[in-house]
Amino acid sequence: MKKICIVFQTILVLGVFFSSCNLSYKAQKDDNVDVEDELVYCHEQIKRSLQMIKKDSCLLPRSINTLSDQWNMIDVYDWTSGFWPGILWYDYENTRDEVIKHEAERYTNCLIELLNPKHRGDHDLGFQFFCSFVNAYRITENPYYKQIALAGADKLASFFNPKVGTILSWAHIDKSMGWPHNTIMDNMMNLDLLFWAAKNGGNPDYYRIAESHARVTMENQFRPDYTNYHVAIYDTIDGSFIKGVTNQGYNNESCWSRGQAWAIYGFTMVYRETRNKEYLRFVEKLTEAYLKRLSDDYVPYWDFDAPSVPERPKDVSAAAVCASALLELSFLEDNQSLAAHYWTVAERTLASLSSEKYKCGNQKPAFLLHATGNLPAGYEIDASINYADYYYIEALYRYKKMKGLQLAKKN
């Protein structure tokens, strides 16, 4: 705790903007996460899930309702279909359990159907192919996975509108709704597939497409206080920004917490790929806006601006996404005081998520409780959800590797 206090004092002296954070976190006996224990926990929960779900099927687990202990299953066309194979790949990378590898391969291969020309797809192709095939290629170096991932990037790139400069989200939406070209904040996450493809034998122009999407989003989809609009609406004729609205937040001017987490993660990744300091300075502002509004246990409410009523739900998925992003940002940051602060916030977030309050434990075979999917639409409220689990295990594995790098430097 002494080291943590020194970091905060340094930040205050330097006048860094995080001095305005209103967090009142009560330090635990040990803010360090026992990452090995938590990864073992994830492995055991995965084995429980594999025992419960139907074998030899391409149905994948998506969510578990509040009062249930059974997974709601989805087919490969669901936007979340890449997260379950991605979870399995991270678990295999950590455990080298061949049974887990077999299941990761099987579920990943199920997603080849997304390349069927009859399936139109949309921006979620990034989530679907990156979490599954790119992770598979990264871990196994099997060129087969690379080939399929590149084909997924080709399909994703087809939704880029050069007049607007962004990738279309929700291609199925009827334009009569007044959304001629919409881009949701979630779409920042899908740029990873395009950047990856441009570096790995795909169309090099995908780098330009990804960077264009990031820049147009940065210039239009945020308020002066650096909170995000969930949805940006653009004119398809002249490419101009029309308005910002919400689909999953409290209202059009509120800050949906997972959207802010998507933005932090997405722009961290854009800075990693471009090394343009403009994106680094921007993501610092996005992080400041998130932390100013964060509750004292480091797990945000579903929407930062929703009325403070007792039943206002938390969203562990936003916390897990942000924890993973801040771990990476702490290593990319050129301001050492901020880097230390981001690391501390990520560590405390993981410590909170790994507590009895937020872990499923014996209640359910998922990793985490208290995620919020789509409250305005009335589903997956206070649930366990596969993308919360995916970013949780990703964050844990990043934390493990980065702690190893820190120890190596000290030695």
Side-chain angles (χ1 to χ4, degrees):
M1 282 306 300
K2 184 177 180 181
K3 291 182 179 179
I4 294 172
C5 291
I6 291 172
V7 168
F8 279 113
Q9 288 169 2
T10 304
I11 291 171
L12 288 168
V13 169
L14 293 175
V16 178
F17 53 71
F18 276 105
S19 61
S20 61
C21 288
N22 62 359
L23 300 180
S24 56
Y25 179 85
K26 294 182 179 179
Q28 305 300 313
K29 291 181 180 178
D30 186 0
D31 280 331
N32 291 320
V33 180
D34 191 335
V35 67
E36 294 295 350
D37 278 359
E38 298 312 323
L39 286 168
V40 168
Y41 162 75
C42 291
H43 181 60
E44 294 301 320
Q45 295 296 90
I46 288 168
K47 290 194 295 183
R48 284 180 63 193
S49 291
L50 288 171
Q51 290 173 354
M52 295 174 68
I53 60 183
K54 185 178 179 180
K55 299 290 189 287
D56 301 321
S57 167
C58 278
L59 294 178
L60 307 102
R62 169 171 168 147
S63 62
I64 304 176
N65 296 334
T66 306
L67 300 178
S68 175
D69 62 359
Q70 300 294 314
W71 282 104
N72 297 313
M73 307 297 287
I74 45 94
D75 62 28
V76 297
Y77 302 109
D78 187 87
W79 79 271
T80 71
S81 62
F83 293 119
W84 175 244
I87 288 168
L88 295 173
W89 281 117
Y90 271 121
D91 187 48
Y92 168 68
E93 185 173 17
N94 184 61
T95 64
R96 296 296 163 174
D97 185 325
E98 290 296 320
V99 173
I100 299 299
K101 181 183 181 183
H102 172 75
E103 294 298 331
E105 292 171 333
R106 185 172 72 79
Y107 281 107
T108 297
N109 285 330
C110 287
L111 270 64
I112 293 176
E113 180 60 25
L114 295 170
L115 296 178
N116 188 328
K118 294 181 180 179
H119 171 61
R120 185 181 184 188
D122 59 18
H123 69 280
D124 289 320
L125 291 159
F127 280 123
Q128 292 162 329
F129 282 94
F130 192 89
C131 299
S132 57
F133 287 97
V134 174
N135 274 329
Y137 176 65
R138 177 180 60 81
I139 294 166
T140 68
E141 299 183 348
N142 185 335
Y144 162 76
Y145 293 123
K146 176 181 177 180
Q147 177 186 0
I148 301 300
L150 290 174
D154 292 340
K155 192 165 185 177
L156 173 62
S158 70
F159 291 95
F160 179 69
N161 184 324
K163 177 65 71 173
V164 175
T166 69
I167 297 166
L168 174 68
S169 303
W170 293 332
H172 62 279
I173 287 183
D174 187 343
K175 289 182 174 54
S176 65
M177 290 180 59
W179 292 16
H181 179 94
N182 79 89
T183 296
I184 63 174
M185 191 54 63
D186 320 37
N187 214 338
M188 284 298 302
M189 305 291 285
N190 297 291
L191 303 185
D192 227 352
L193 180 62
L194 297 180
F195 280 124
W196 174 87
K199 294 188 299 184
N200 286 274
N203 188 334
D205 199 41
Y206 292 170
Y207 179 100
R208 180 192 62 81
I209 288 175
E211 202 277 333
S212 171
H213 182 104
R215 180 159 297 278
V216 173
T217 298
M218 180 174 68
E219 292 173 351
N220 293 287
Q221 208 163 337
F222 294 89
R223 305 178 185 91
D225 65 356
Y226 295 95
T227 60
N228 77 101
Y229 289 108
H230 180 202
V231 188
I233 309 300
Y234 297 94
D235 190 306
T236 55
I237 297 175
D238 63 11
S240 63
F241 174 73
I242 298 173
K243 62 180 177 179
V245 298
T246 195
N247 181 68
Q248 290 175 246
Y250 175 64
N251 62 35
N252 288 343
E253 295 302 322
S254 69
C255 182
W256 176 49
S257 63
R258 190 162 70 248
Q260 196 72 12
W262 291 142
I264 293 167
Y265 191 113
F267 280 98
T268 296
M269 171 259 296
V270 171
Y271 173 64
R272 176 227 303 156
E273 297 298 331
T274 66
R275 296 296 168 158
N276 183 334
K277 291 294 180 71
E278 185 177 4
Y279 293 118
L280 178 58
R281 302 285 86 88
F282 186 67
V283 77
E284 289 169 353
K285 295 293 187 181
L286 301 183
T287 304
E288 176 189 15
Y290 177 94
L291 294 180
K292 278 183 175 179
R293 294 161 174 79
L294 193 56
S295 52
D296 60 8
D297 67 353
Y298 284 74
V299 177
Y301 291 99
W302 142 73
D303 188 297
F304 287 121
D305 301 310
S308 297
V309 294
E311 62 270 21
R312 180 172 55 152
K314 293 273 196 166
D315 186 9
V316 293
S317 73
V321 169
C322 197
S324 188
L326 291 183
L327 287 171
E328 180 171 30
L329 186 56
S330 72
F331 268 54
L332 295 172
E333 178 60 63
D334 58 9
N335 179 316
Q336 293 307 304
S337 295
L338 284 181
H341 188 58
Y342 294 148
W343 178 266
T344 299
V345 170
E347 194 169 47
R348 288 178 172 179
T349 302
L350 281 177
S352 188
L353 291 174
S354 300
S355 68
E356 291 184 3
K357 180 178 179 181
Y358 290 111
K359 282 169 61 175
C360 291
N362 294 327
Q363 298 179 52
K364 306 172 191 289
F367 301 161
L368 299 176
L369 301 166
H370 309 311
T372 300
N374 191 332
L375 190 145
Y379 65 86
E380 294 177 339
I381 302 168
D382 195 28
S384 297
I385 305 178
N386 61 8
Y387 47 85
D389 286 1
Y390 175 85
Y391 290 104
Y392 177 63
I393 195 171
E394 178 184 85
L396 286 173
Y397 195 65
R398 279 184 172 178
Y399 182 74
K400 176 182 176 178
K401 290 192 294 184
M402 291 176 175
K403 289 279 282 188
L405 289 172
Q406 288 179 336
L407 290 172
K409 287 181 180 180
K410 290 180 180 179
N411 295 330

